[in-house]
Amino acid sequence: MSALSGVGVGRGIAAAKVLKMPEPLAPPGDEPLAADADAELGRVRAALAEVADELTARAVAAGGDAQQVLEAAALMAQDPAILDDVQARLAAGTNAERATWDAYAGFRDLLAQMGGYMAERATDLDDVAQRVVARLRGVAAPGVPQSDQPFILVARDLAPADTATLDLEKTLALVTQDGGPTSHTAILARSKSLPAVVGVVGLLAAVADGQRAIVDAKAGTVVLDPDDASVAAAEAERASRTTAASAPITEGALADGTKVPLMANVGSPEDAPAAIALGAEGVGLFRTEFLFLGASSAPTVEAQTEAYTELLQGFAGKKVVARVLDAGADKPLAFLNDAHEENPALGLRGIRALRATEQILRDQLTALANAQRATGAELHVMAPMIADHEETAYFVALGRELGLTHVGAMAEVPSIAVLADQVLEAADFVSIGTNDLTQYTLAADRQLGSVAGFQDPWHPAVLRLIKLLGDAGAAAGKPVGVCGEAAADPALAVVLVGLGATSLSMSASALADVRAELLTVTLDEARARAARALTAKSAAEARQLASHPAG
């Protein structure tokens, strides 16, 4: 019996045999074209059509969010620009497999250079290319293995097209060698309530198909070849955790009765019913980008008012924290900022981009104020990427001018933590976005796999910045919430409360686990865990120190 360690996602546990994702196909060789170019083009055309049909059929069967992911992948297989590129390469004497591979690689590199959301689509292109080349070779495409029995899925990483159609009746847990706590796989695991451990160094070399394992997300471990007693204990704990997760929904609170409101992060009004059903006490992060992304011009005040009103009505009588448009960097919008920037993550994004095109910001704040008046909801509005008091004062003054009553700042830039006392002189509240705060604190692009190990909100540097914000909020008598992925980690949620967080917002599927974990500690115990984590010299040590009783 041996154990591997990584970053746990959630607090679930599972015991089963391992099934490994097949490794990607090897790149085609450079052999010159030996057949007729037109005939080979026909073969490629047929392969593209077959892959598109397969992905479309899977999309219809999957439904929901998975359907959208797979339909987008099907469109990538039908893109005429790809076929034109392949045709040109065939005419130049490249063999069909290599021509297809290189055509997709060219488009992939283009998307990867754009970063963020578009870079994620590059992963989808890789998946489509693999499927098409597999058709040309007459072999099965790499993908999630099929099984009649429940299994633990082990992979280098997972493509969206694979994760979108996971059979949750058979897939008990996910383990990946790559990725971090904010990776696609981690986010999927949280959304599906699947136990997962990501970023397991040496995983693929250490694990074999059919090997028995225990995945413990809470501990962040993968135990290989466990004995029967360990498996029985894991299965009993799994049953216990399932029972706890299905316990009656109550307000978020600690064991001593200290209230900690548990809110949901939502991306559109359609997300509201599911969040409420899972016990969300409000919305801690309403991402308003859904109205802007993909649009050729900014939506009208009327269109925005309608959408915001719909969401606020779904949370009548509850607190809703809306973030104004967060664009730039990984979410470029031509009508907001069309200037080319070598390093857009450190450029005109967030509040900076909105100030540069203030009418878009004014229209959005006007629409939010209209929705507030129409519903009587407790609407709080914040701006992204606030760096200091001056930016805070500007945004708060503009919000007040346009009729908003609760105006605050999102803490994602380290400078806002250093100047937290000044910021809270102007802001009504602060909400901490741990994803970007971690990225900027540790200079680690959260979309870049090579530095995924740095993208960990348990890092003591990040925790110390959060404490500065929590302390400043307590001194000013103003709320400081957390709305990043960190809040969905039950163990870290306890530490965040100990650092001064007054509310936590997360993916709705994580609410039950966090609610259960908070009920195991008092405020004094949460503060003690936080204090121990602050003394750590690494993220891993912070986890360890926070997980054990003092002494």
Side-chain angles (χ1 to χ4, degrees):
M1 190 163 65
S2 60
L4 303 172
S5 297
V7 177
V9 179
R11 61 200 299 273
I13 192 168
K17 289 186 176 180
V18 163
L19 282 186
K20 295 175 72 172
M21 283 275 288
E23 284 291 303
L25 298 176
D30 293 322
E31 298 82 6
L33 180 67
D36 178 73
D38 288 340
E40 289 298 275
L41 181 62
R43 274 209 318 132
V44 174
R45 193 191 306 273
L48 288 167
E50 289 168 3
V51 169
D53 289 345
E54 177 196 3
L55 291 171
T56 300
R58 290 175 65 194
V60 172
D65 293 340
Q67 181 170 354
Q68 297 178 17
V69 172
L70 292 170
E71 285 175 345
L75 289 174
M76 292 175 181
Q78 296 170 315
D79 190 335
I82 292 285
L83 193 60
D84 289 346
D85 193 333
V86 172
Q87 184 173 13
R89 294 175 188 275
L90 289 171
T94 304
N95 69 69
E97 289 182 20
R98 189 77 206 190
T100 302
W101 186 279
D102 289 346
Y104 273 104
F107 280 83
R108 183 203 187 285
D109 291 346
L110 184 63
L111 291 183
Q113 289 168 12
M114 296 175 71
Y117 175 82
M118 300 309 291
E120 290 177 4
R121 303 285 68 76
T123 304
D124 294 357
L125 271 177
D126 282 343
D127 182 61
V128 174
Q130 289 270 319
R131 294 175 186 280
V132 176
V133 170
R135 292 273 180 176
L136 292 172
R137 291 183 181 175
V139 300
V144 178
Q146 300 298 308
S147 173
D148 294 331
Q149 300 298 318
F151 63 93
I152 292 166
L153 181 60
V154 167
R156 183 175 302 279
D157 206 350
L158 295 170
D162 290 322
T163 56
T165 54
L166 282 176
D167 182 350
L168 299 180
E169 294 293 321
K170 297 290 192 300
T171 311
L172 301 187
L174 304 176
V175 188
T176 63
Q177 181 165 293
D178 296 340
T182 60
S183 66
H184 173 84
T185 302
I187 293 170
L188 170 101
R190 289 191 185 98
S191 70
K192 302 294 187 184
S193 298
L194 275 175
V197 179
V198 300
V200 181
V201 176
L203 172 69
L204 298 181
V207 180
D209 254 336
Q211 191 170 9
R212 191 159 67 165
I214 295 173
V215 176
D216 188 340
K218 186 175 182 179
T221 59
V222 181
V223 178
L224 303 177
D225 301 316
D227 56 33
D228 291 342
S230 297
V231 170
E235 290 174 344
E237 187 171 353
R238 176 181 173 86
S240 174
R241 291 183 186 180
T242 300
T243 300
S246 60
I249 293 172
T250 59
E251 292 183 342
L254 303 181
D256 57 10
T258 302
K259 296 296 184 186
V260 182
L262 299 180
M263 329 255 296
N265 296 341
V266 301
S268 71
E270 289 73 27
D271 295 339
I276 292 172
L278 290 170
E281 297 173 55
V283 175
L285 174 61
F286 173 31
R287 305 181 184 93
T288 59
E289 288 77 38
F290 74 101
L291 286 170
F292 295 82
L293 296 179
S296 58
S297 60
T300 64
V301 171
E302 293 73 22
Q304 292 186 65
T305 298
E306 181 180 353
Y308 304 151
T309 299
E310 181 183 352
L311 180 96
L312 294 183
Q313 287 173 336
F315 285 91
K318 298 180 186 293
K319 179 178 175 181
V320 174
V321 182
R323 179 183 67 193
V324 295
L325 176 62
D326 183 16
D330 62 335
K331 290 170 281 190
L333 293 174
F335 59 82
L336 183 73
N337 175 25
D338 59 1
H340 174 72
E341 296 177 335
E342 290 298 328
N343 191 353
L346 298 178
L348 208 61
R349 65 167 297 193
I351 187 63
R352 301 170 185 174
L354 292 171
R355 290 184 81 170
T357 50
E358 190 179 276
Q359 191 57 51
I360 291 177
L361 176 57
R362 283 181 169 273
D363 286 351
Q364 185 170 25
L365 293 175
T366 298
L368 286 164
N370 290 344
Q372 178 182 339
R373 286 190 293 270
T375 62
E378 185 188 341
L379 178 64
H380 292 57
V381 179
M382 61 184 178
M385 306 303 295
I386 292 286
D388 56 23
H389 177 273
E390 188 277 331
E391 286 186 337
T392 307
Y394 160 80
F395 181 69
V396 171
L398 188 59
R400 296 258 195 274
E401 174 192 332
L402 297 172
L404 294 166
T405 53
H406 302 282
V407 190
M410 198 167 178
E412 302 163 283
V413 180
S415 61
I416 194 175
V418 177
L419 302 173
D421 57 335
Q422 297 179 5
V423 168
L424 281 157
E425 289 175 4
D428 294 324
F429 68 95
V430 166
S431 184
I432 305 171
T434 52
N435 298 355
D436 269 324
L437 182 61
T438 303
Q439 169 177 246
Y440 287 117
T441 300
L442 295 167
D445 186 340
R446 60 193 179 103
Q447 302 292 346
L448 197 59
S450 60
V451 292
F454 292 96
Q455 186 50 226
D456 193 333
W458 276 97
H459 195 285
V462 179
L463 299 183
R464 291 187 183 199
L465 291 176
I466 293 172
K467 187 175 191 307
L468 290 175
L469 289 158
D471 289 348
K478 295 179 179 179
V480 173
V482 174
C483 63
E485 285 294 323
D489 178 339
L492 185 49
V494 170
V495 170
L496 294 172
V497 172
L499 294 172
T502 55
S503 65
L504 301 171
S505 189
M506 63 205 73
S507 301
S509 59
L511 289 166
D513 280 350
V514 173
R515 185 183 298 113
E517 190 75 17
L518 293 181
L519 284 171
T520 67
V521 297
T522 64
L523 182 56
D524 284 345
E525 288 168 343
R527 287 171 174 165
R529 292 191 188 189
R532 294 199 298 276
L534 290 173
T535 68
K537 295 180 177 62
S538 68
E541 186 181 2
R543 278 190 183 84
Q544 182 180 24
L545 291 174
S547 66
H548 298 296

